[in-house]
């Protein structure tokens, strides 16, 4: 809340409305959730449409040891 000018403006506006600091923080958290949720859903949809990469193994595979 210290550096971002739009946030400072929002806090000043809500304070002028008589809101408590805890209520202002709650509103800011809800705003952040509304902004990030569509991005998380898009990321999950993209991840679901692509197969997961195979995990990295540090030991050689058995097929390469048998040769």
């Amino acid at each position: 809340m210290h550096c971002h000018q739009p946030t400072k403006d929002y806090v000043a506006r809500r304070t002028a409305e008589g809101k408590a600091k805890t209520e202002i923080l709650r509103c800011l958290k809800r705003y952040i959730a509304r902004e990030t949720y569509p991005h998380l859903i898009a990321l999950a949809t993209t991840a679901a449409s692509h197969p997961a990469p195979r995990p990295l193994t540090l030991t050689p595979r058995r097929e390469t040891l048998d040769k």
Side-chain angles (χ1 to χ4, degrees), residues 24-61:
I24 295 169
L25 288 174
R26 187 184 71 78
C27 293
L28 284 170
K29 288 177 186 179
R30 291 183 70 177
Y31 176 78
I32 291 168
R34 282 193 308 270
E35 288 293 312
T36 56
Y37 185 74
H39 297 288
L40 292 174
I41 294 300
L43 184 63
T45 304
T46 303
S49 65
H50 297 294
R54 291 177 45 178
L56 177 65
T57 58
L58 299 178
T59 57
R61 298 178 77 186

Side-chain angles (χ1 to χ4, degrees), residues 1-19 24 27-28 31:
M1 285 192 328
H2 318 306
C3 301
H4 192 244
Q5 190 58 45
T7 304
K8 287 181 183 179
D9 297 340
Y10 180 82
V11 170
R13 194 169 57 248
R14 292 294 182 174
T15 304
E17 292 175 3
K19 302 254 187 231
I24 295 169
C27 293
L28 284 170
Y31 176 78

